[in-house]
Amino acid sequence: MQPVICQPAANPSLFTAEGMVGLIFLFLIATVITGALIATMARRLIRAVAGLAVCFTGVAGIYYFLLSPFVAMMQMLIYVGAVSILIAFAIMLAEPEYKDPIGRKNPPLAGPLGFSVGALFFAAFTLLGLNTDWQVFPREGTGDMHHMGITLLTTHSMVFELISIVLLIAIIGALVVARRGRD
Amino acid sequence: MIMLNLYNCLNTYLVIGAMLFGFGIYGFVARRTIIGMLISSEMILAAASMNFMAFNRFLAPNPSIGKIFTLFIMAIAAAEAAIAIAIVIAVYRNYKSIDTEDLVDLHG
């Protein structure tokens, strides 16, 4: 299958299968934006974690649209099922007392400055993506699970083993750091 | 209805990735607690993964490498979250707070 950058000629109506798929895609984009808004704007941290889970659910759906259901499944398992729950546990263990935002000691420029920096990055990367003439290479290989597994265990086998060692060291280090000062 | 064909365009995914990155940077600058900054950093990593997956779907010669790189990003992000949360718990035990304003004093 030859990759396509865009097909502006295809113009499906809403009442065909392609139109329904496009509608589902728009819904997923709305899910991602809503989750990101909740994760950055919510005052209470537990709501921010819920927004993060919503945002990553939408991202998993978009991965499904990018023709890789396996990575979408891994996104749901690792991010929504593990990392969000881990952060929720940390909030339960280290509950910050809810401060009234009126009496905050923060520098008053933090909110507007962060918003302007984020908007600047968004505008820069959007313009960069829209104005670059991307070069399409011819495909070699299919990209399904079989091909992915062979590539993972032949070309990238060294990185695969290193990742396992890194995870082991991270878990042992986390145990040591959280344990120190207990007794 | 050109809106219904957005999922066949590379630019759509690039704009979504840039948006996630902008939200992540904003949260990273504006949040007052360590855990809030950790949440925003996870969003920045998700934006990078989104870009990898989009280029893998539309441009790459070998359509497995972007997926494998995304899986590596997920593994590294999980390790990073585990260590960061261990540090958060240790800091909370010493300072009784995770507000970044309270952590600038050195306790000898």
Side-chain angles (χ1 to χ4, degrees):
Chain A
M1 182 192 121
Q2 203 59 16
V4 287
I5 296 290
C6 201
Q7 296 170 317
N11 212 354
S13 106
L14 184 56
F15 301 103
T16 59
E18 290 82 10
M20 284 308 290
V21 167
L23 196 67
I24 291 170
F25 185 71
L26 293 181
F27 178 72
L28 282 173
I29 294 177
T31 307
V32 170
I33 295 174
T34 309
L37 275 173
I38 295 172
T40 49
M41 305 284 180
R43 286 217 182 92
R44 292 177 186 271
L45 278 178
I46 196 75
R47 291 179 190 166
V49 173
L52 186 79
V54 170
C55 173
F56 281 159
T57 309
V59 169
I62 288 172
Y63 286 168
Y64 201 89
F65 272 88
L66 286 168
L67 307 183
S68 58
F70 175 70
V71 182
M73 197 169 63
M74 285 297 123
Q75 173 90 9
M76 287 295 288
L77 272 177
I78 294 171
Y79 273 124
V80 182
V83 172
S84 303
I85 304 300
L86 191 68
I87 297 174
F89 269 117
I91 292 170
M92 281 193 262
L93 287 172
E95 176 72 44
E97 65 276 13
Y98 180 64
K99 290 177 187 163
D100 199 17
I102 303 297
R104 56 192 295 174
K105 300 178 297 180
N106 241 20
L109 276 179
L113 194 70
F115 183 78
S116 54
V117 170
L120 189 73
F121 271 111
F122 169 61
F125 286 130
T126 303
L127 289 175
L128 185 69
L130 296 186
N131 293 328
T132 309
D133 187 18
W134 300 112
Q135 184 186 3
V136 184
F137 290 96
R139 287 285 170 131
E140 49 193 35
T142 55
D144 57 352
M145 283 287 299
H146 183 72
H147 187 251
M148 214 166 108
I150 288 176
T151 313
L152 186 61
L153 289 179
T154 53
T155 314
H156 301 93
S157 59
M158 181 73 189
V159 191
F160 186 71
E161 304 295 336
L162 275 180
I163 282 279
S164 58
I165 293 175
V166 163
L167 275 172
L168 175 71
I169 292 173
I171 291 169
I172 293 174
L175 287 175
V176 169
V177 168
R179 169 101 199 143
R180 181 168 299 156
R182 174 71 65 87
D183 40 8
Chain B
M1 291 293 285
I2 197 70
M3 293 281 289
L4 296 182
N5 200 33
L6 279 180
Y7 64 97
N8 277 325
C9 296
L10 171 66
N11 292 334
T12 312
Y13 300 101
L14 295 185
V15 170
I16 294 171
M19 202 169 50
L20 273 175
F21 190 85
F23 274 122
I25 289 287
Y26 166 62
F28 202 82
V29 174
R31 278 280 179 194
R32 293 189 305 155
T33 57
I34 310 178
I35 297 182
M37 291 166 73
L38 177 69
I39 291 170
S40 303
S41 72
E42 297 288 341
M43 277 168 58
I44 294 175
L45 286 169
S49 302
M50 176 77 69
N51 267 321
F52 273 113
M53 294 289 287
F55 289 128
N56 175 54
R57 152 84 169 82
F58 288 100
L59 303 176
N62 184 350
S64 292
I65 291 182
K67 301 178 188 179
I68 287 168
F69 210 102
T70 303
L71 292 176
F72 286 156
I73 289 178
M74 284 180 195
I76 292 291
E80 173 244 2
I83 292 180
I85 280 167
I87 291 174
V88 163
I89 289 171
V91 160
Y92 181 75
R93 195 180 295 137
N94 283 327
Y95 287 84
K96 298 288 175 282
S97 162
I98 55 167
D99 199 322
T100 47
E101 284 291 317
D102 301 337
L103 306 184
V104 294
D105 306 326
L106 287 177
H107 291 199

